[in-house]
């Protein structure tokens, strides 16, 4: 308001004062590392976009200055990246990497595919209605038995779109290669509260999944086992963004929009620390149970803390910088039954949820959640 007001008045002194007040307010708002909704006000979407476009550069400038101030404090005893994982197909096995690049959705090749089933709703679908719902290890633990291999190459589909990878899915003595394409049956798939555009990957891989799942009970109905399909993000019209409620000012793009995200549950990156896993396993050991590996939590980046890093210290982190990439820690990750699924056998146990419930419970008493790792 003050900036726009300053643009429409003549006296130089008054113009300068109006600009100064407007920029001071924006700097104050953008300097907050908390979420934008800390400032509760009602305004139209266009005004919100304008505010984000103005506040974003201030927030990024302050962030860059802060890192310059502290960069000389780094030492050889700093926190290290211990492992990097991507999951090309949502809820299937991980692919371990020694290094990775980023695309518009997070780590490159991460969760570009997923398995879906038809929506329980029968009958006519309007153009934007959800036709399918995603399927994960929550409903189908046997998905953990399917191995995934990333195949890098260069090829074009019928529309001339260039793709540089395929995925190979393996289960026992069976193997199927899935090529990325912009052709195929299109669906509107629901991922929690979001709806995304995807493309069916064909009957061959659907039969492969059916073979793996033949003894698996998927929620909905027994016949749903035979309707599972593998789909990929539609390269021509896919769009999904992070919930702006959890987006810091500095993370909004130059147009005022929150970051884009692929087929994850909601955020591009999941960061975990070995220090916290060691603490959890020490508590599990006191119950006479075997320790669990990090893959139960399916993180993207695993960090190893230094000698002064405490377990679950990441709860207090706001920003993590790895190389030239800045991550905003926005929300702890609530854990569900999927973390109890052995990622090698698909067998389900009561850990780690049983032990996490002893010391990592947050939320409403009627519906408490247990937390491990941080969304970024």
């Amino acid at each position: 308001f003050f900036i726009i007001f300053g643009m429409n008045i003549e006296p130089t002194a008054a113009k300068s004062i109006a600009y100064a007040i407007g920029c001071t307010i924006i700097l104050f708002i953008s300097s907050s590392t908390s979420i934008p909704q800390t400032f509760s006000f009602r305004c139209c979407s266009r005004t919100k976009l304008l505010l984000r476009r103005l506040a974003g550069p201030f927030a990024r400038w302050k962030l860059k200055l802060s890192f310059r101030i502290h960069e000389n404090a780094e030492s050889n005893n700093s926190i290290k990246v211990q492992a990097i994982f991507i999951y090309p197909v949502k809820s299937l096995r991980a692919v371990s990497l020694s290094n990775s690049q980023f695309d518009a959705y997070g780590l490159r090749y991460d969760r570009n595919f997923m398995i879906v089933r038809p929506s329980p709703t029968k009958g006519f679908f309007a153009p934007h209605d959800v036709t399918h719902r995603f399927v994960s290890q929550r409903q189908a633990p046997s998905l953990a038995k399917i191995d995934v291999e990333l195949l890098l190459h260069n090829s074009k589909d019928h529309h001339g779109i260039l793709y540089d990878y395929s995925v190979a899915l393996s289960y026992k003595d069976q193997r199927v290669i899935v090529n990325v394409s912009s052709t195929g049956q299109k669906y509107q798939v629901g991922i929690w509260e979001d709806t995304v555009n995807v493309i069916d990957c064909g009957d061959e891989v659907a039969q492969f999944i059916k073979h793996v799942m033949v003894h698996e009970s998927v929620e909905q109905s027994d016949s749903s086992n035979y309707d599972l399909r593998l789909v990929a993000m539609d390269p021509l019209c896919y769009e999904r963004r992070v919930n702006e409620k959890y987006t810091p000012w500095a993370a909004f793009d130059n147009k005022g929009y929150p970051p884009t995200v692929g087929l994850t549950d909601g955020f591009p990156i999941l960061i975990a620390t070995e220090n916290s896993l060691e603490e959890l396993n020490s508590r599990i050991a006191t119950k006479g149970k075997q320790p669990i590996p990090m893959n139960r939590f399916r993180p993207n980046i695993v960090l190893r803390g230094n000698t002064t890093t405490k377990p679950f210290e990441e709860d207090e982190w706001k920003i993590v910088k790895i190389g030239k990439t800045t991550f905003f820690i926005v929300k702890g990750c609530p854990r569900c039954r999927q973390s109890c699924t052995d990622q090698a056998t698909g067998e389900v146990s009561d850990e780690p949820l049983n032990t996490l419930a002893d010391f990592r419970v947050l939320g409403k008493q009627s519906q408490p959640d247990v937390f491990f790792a941080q969304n970024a």
Side-chain angles (χ1 to χ4, degrees):
F1 169 79
F2 281 102
I3 291 176
I4 296 173
F5 177 72
M7 295 170 62
N8 293 278
I9 58 176
E10 290 299 328
T12 305
K15 184 188 292 284
S16 300
I17 292 173
Y19 273 126
I21 294 175
C23 291
T24 300
I25 293 173
I26 291 172
L27 180 61
F28 169 72
I29 294 175
S30 63
S31 65
S32 173
T33 57
S34 60
I35 58 177
Q37 280 63 28
T38 300
F39 303 90
S40 179
F41 56 88
R42 291 185 178 182
C43 59
C44 67
S45 58
R46 186 175 298 180
T47 304
K48 287 183 178 180
L49 285 176
L50 176 61
L51 179 60
R52 293 168 186 164
R53 292 176 67 178
L54 293 172
F58 278 103
R60 287 189 286 273
W61 170 81
K62 178 179 179 293
L63 181 64
K64 187 177 295 185
L65 179 63
S66 176
F67 274 116
R68 285 180 180 175
I69 293 173
H70 292 92
E71 65 183 1
N72 293 329
E74 295 181 358
S75 67
N76 293 329
N77 199 29
S78 60
I79 297 174
K80 304 292 185 182
V81 175
Q82 195 72 7
I84 302 172
F85 299 102
I86 60 171
Y87 307 84
V89 183
K90 184 178 179 70
S91 269
L92 302 195
R93 287 182 178 175
V95 174
S96 178
L97 303 175
S98 59
N99 58 75
S100 182
Q101 297 177 331
F102 291 88
D103 60 18
Y105 307 106
L107 288 179
R108 197 172 186 183
Y109 310 120
D110 185 43
R111 294 176 175 92
N112 289 352
F113 298 85
M114 67 179 173
I115 296 172
V116 301
R117 66 184 181 191
S119 172
T121 305
K122 303 295 183 182
F124 175 77
F125 288 100
H128 299 289
D129 284 350
V130 171
T131 61
H132 292 68
R133 301 294 302 184
F134 81 100
V135 174
S136 71
Q137 290 183 28
R138 299 175 184 87
Q139 303 90 11
S142 288
L143 293 178
K145 300 177 182 180
I146 302 177
D147 199 21
V148 181
E149 181 183 358
L150 190 64
L151 307 175
L152 301 180
H153 57 77
N154 285 307
S155 62
K156 293 184 179 181
D157 68 3
H158 297 297
H159 289 161
I161 298 177
L162 179 66
Y163 296 97
D164 62 353
Y165 77 105
S166 300
V167 292
L169 308 185
S170 303
Y171 174 73
K172 296 183 177 179
D173 60 345
Q174 293 194 10
R175 188 171 187 265
V176 61
I177 295 177
V178 182
N179 294 312
V180 189
S181 175
S182 60
T183 61
Q185 179 68 42
K186 297 189 176 185
Y187 306 132
Q188 296 275 128
V189 176
I191 305 181
W192 301 113
E193 302 302 321
D194 298 328
T195 302
V196 297
N197 298 299
V198 298
I199 295 179
D200 192 291
C201 293
D203 293 333
E204 182 182 7
V205 67
Q207 288 297 319
F208 170 87
I209 295 170
K210 173 185 173 181
H211 173 75
V212 178
M213 300 294 295
V214 67
H215 300 298
E216 187 66 38
S217 176
V218 179
E219 293 178 3
Q220 182 185 336
S221 67
D222 292 336
S223 63
S224 66
N225 288 344
Y226 301 95
D227 295 329
L228 296 179
R229 310 290 297 184
L230 183 72
V231 298
M233 296 162 51
D234 188 339
L236 299 179
C237 59
Y238 180 91
E239 183 175 356
R240 184 188 180 208
R241 293 187 180 272
V242 172
N243 189 337
E244 64 181 48
K245 176 181 178 181
Y246 301 104
T247 305
W249 288 108
F252 286 102
D253 64 21
N254 292 331
K255 294 183 179 180
Y257 293 104
T260 52
V261 64
L263 300 176
T264 66
D265 279 353
F267 299 93
I269 303 292
L270 184 65
I271 297 177
T273 68
E274 289 189 342
N275 306 65
S276 299
L277 181 64
E278 290 171 0
E279 172 66 18
L280 172 61
N281 278 328
S282 68
R283 292 172 180 260
I284 291 176
T286 62
K287 300 179 179 181
K289 300 179 180 179
Q290 293 297 314
I292 63 170
M294 181 64 82
N295 64 10
R296 290 288 190 93
F297 300 103
R298 300 176 65 82
N300 292 113
I301 300 174
V302 180
L303 302 179
R304 178 68 188 177
N306 56 37
T307 55
T308 62
T309 303
K310 299 178 181 178
F312 300 101
E313 184 179 301
E314 61 271 21
D315 291 345
E316 307 300 323
W317 294 351
K318 298 297 183 183
I319 298 170
V320 173
K321 188 174 183 181
I322 302 175
K324 296 182 179 180
T325 304
T326 301
F327 302 89
F328 296 93
I329 306 300
V330 296
K331 185 178 182 293
C333 184
R335 310 314 310 202
C336 63
R337 291 293 298 175
Q338 181 166 320
S339 61
C340 295
T341 301
D342 188 306
Q343 296 300 296
T345 66
E347 296 178 358
V348 181
S349 64
D350 59 355
E351 294 293 355
L353 291 186
N354 189 32
T355 300
L356 285 172
D358 295 338
F359 72 111
R360 295 288 296 171
V361 176
L362 294 173
K364 297 180 181 179
Q365 191 172 9
S366 59
Q367 293 179 324
D369 286 316
V370 296
F371 290 81
F372 189 98
Q374 298 289 324
N375 288 297

